[in-house]
Amino acid sequence: MAIETVGIVGAGQMGNGIAHVFALAGYEVLLNDVSAEGLTKAIAIIDKNIERQVSRGKVSAEDKAAAMARIKTTMTLADLGQTDLVIEAATEKETVKQQIFDALLPHLKPTTILTSNTSSISITRLASRTDRPEKFMGFHFMNPVPVMQLVELIRGIATDVETYETLLAVVGKLGKTAASAEDFPAFIVNRILMPMINEAVYTLYEGVGSVKSIDESMKLGANHPMGPLELADFIGLDTCLAIMNVLHEGLADTKYRPCPLLTKYVEAGWLGRKTGRGFYDYRGETPVPTR
């Protein structure tokens, strides 16, 4: 199954990164969002990020120009129906994702593969609401997409071999590495990563260490490039909480219970870097711990 055109739903942090790597790899990209401002911002971010690659000698100016020319934008979801592959990269809420797929279905070609960039939600359940569960997969990119090497490929119970092999080839063409995961809550990366972040928040909540001491301990004591609380701010505390809730509800094990302090930060709207405050305050020149 040849993939030449790719439709991406959502022009946020993940969506613009996915558009970036697909355009550089030679695919025609149609980027969709509900906000015209969001689309304009996404194109500017992609341009800036590829320009950074040009300045480092990783991409030629000609390849950048060709990649930018391959990206088109639309606010009309139905326009994505004629693409060969659709990647949903909207917010991590199952109801939102279901509404997107419901709206797309009447406009899709029979051969179009549907995928979700979800980091935790059941692929089998999302696929079961569509007319093509055999052509539906989890296609989970890591953030930031242009930098991170891994893509998790998650098959639902009905996903056929041809769909899996097609996406495996796409990952190869992107120059990335695929890891196959079974369809259980949070798959591989977040099944391991999020409880670690949640435990770091519990360590803060219980007064075992401060934000600074927790992050420095894991960076210097475990050789992590970022501390867990710094990483949580980078991911978004709302996303971390959503994934912990999926783990807790899906596996019914108390070890996945979200820390009350994580919930409190999300309730305050302190979601990390994207809102200016999380476990660190980013409103000054350098980030300052908030606890």
Side-chain angles (χ1 to χ4, degrees):
M1 196 183 297
I3 303 294
E4 295 176 356
T5 56
V6 180
I8 299 166
V9 185
Q13 194 173 32
M14 295 305 294
N16 73 58
I18 294 167
H20 172 150
V21 298
F22 270 90
L24 269 181
Y27 293 95
E28 295 294 326
V29 175
L30 187 55
L31 183 60
N32 164 265
D33 200 90
V34 292
S35 158
E37 183 185 351
L39 288 169
T40 302
K41 184 179 175 185
I43 294 298
I45 290 170
I46 295 166
D47 188 275
K48 177 184 168 189
N49 288 343
I50 301 181
E51 185 57 40
R52 188 181 294 126
Q53 290 175 296
V54 172
S55 69
R56 292 174 180 168
K58 294 183 177 180
V59 174
S60 70
E62 293 77 17
D63 284 346
K64 179 199 168 185
M68 293 306 299
R70 290 187 196 105
I71 303 173
K72 306 288 187 294
T73 62
T74 180
M75 289 179 66
T76 307
L77 191 60
D79 290 348
L80 273 58
Q82 295 307 300
T83 58
D84 302 322
L85 168 65
V86 172
I87 304 168
E88 171 275 313
T91 186
E92 191 68 357
K93 291 180 182 172
E94 188 165 349
T95 51
V96 173
K97 294 179 186 298
Q98 286 173 346
Q99 287 165 3
I100 288 165
F101 291 124
D102 288 347
L104 264 174
L105 288 179
H107 309 284
L108 294 177
K109 297 189 298 184
T111 55
T112 299
I113 293 175
L114 285 179
T115 67
S116 176
N117 183 56
T118 178
S119 49
S120 61
I121 296 167
S122 168
I123 298 305
T124 298
R125 196 163 61 237
L126 287 173
S128 71
R129 291 176 56 100
T130 73
D131 63 353
R132 62 196 67 207
E134 71 287 348
K135 292 189 185 305
F136 194 109
M137 275 193 70
F139 205 24
H140 181 215
F141 289 82
M142 305 296 130
N143 184 35
V145 181
V147 175
M148 300 297 276
Q149 183 67 21
L150 185 75
V151 182
E152 280 184 317
L153 292 181
I154 307 102
R155 279 176 279 196
I157 199 168
T159 307
D160 63 26
V161 173
E162 185 184 18
T163 299
Y164 171 74
E165 289 180 347
T166 299
L167 291 188
L168 194 60
V170 168
V171 173
K173 189 175 175 183
L174 294 176
K176 297 191 179 293
T177 301
S180 297
E182 292 301 315
D183 185 23
F184 289 100
F187 320 129
I188 295 171
V189 172
N190 284 316
R191 172 78 177 262
I192 298 167
L193 176 64
M194 286 303 157
M196 185 197 77
I197 287 175
N198 195 50
E199 197 61 31
V201 182
Y202 266 114
T203 306
L204 178 65
Y205 176 63
E206 293 168 5
V208 180
S210 65
V211 169
K212 184 180 178 186
S213 64
I214 291 166
D215 277 353
E216 282 193 346
S217 293
M218 294 308 292
K219 283 193 282 189
L220 302 178
N223 205 27
H224 290 193
M226 294 173 77
L229 301 175
E230 184 187 3
L231 180 56
D233 276 357
F234 179 75
I235 293 166
L237 303 193
D238 51 341
T239 300
C240 294
L241 179 59
I243 295 169
M244 286 309 301
N245 280 326
V246 166
L247 279 166
H248 192 218
E249 291 161 14
L251 298 169
D253 191 324
T254 54
K255 73 179 180 180
Y256 299 116
R257 184 177 64 232
C259 179
L261 184 61
L262 177 60
T263 303
K264 191 67 69 182
Y265 268 74
V266 173
E267 287 173 345
W270 291 19
L271 308 182
R273 288 193 189 191
K274 62 187 173 184
T275 58
R277 277 187 291 189
F279 292 112
Y280 293 85
D281 189 326
Y282 299 92
R283 294 173 300 172
E285 283 189 22
T286 56
V288 179
T290 54
R291 286 180 86 86

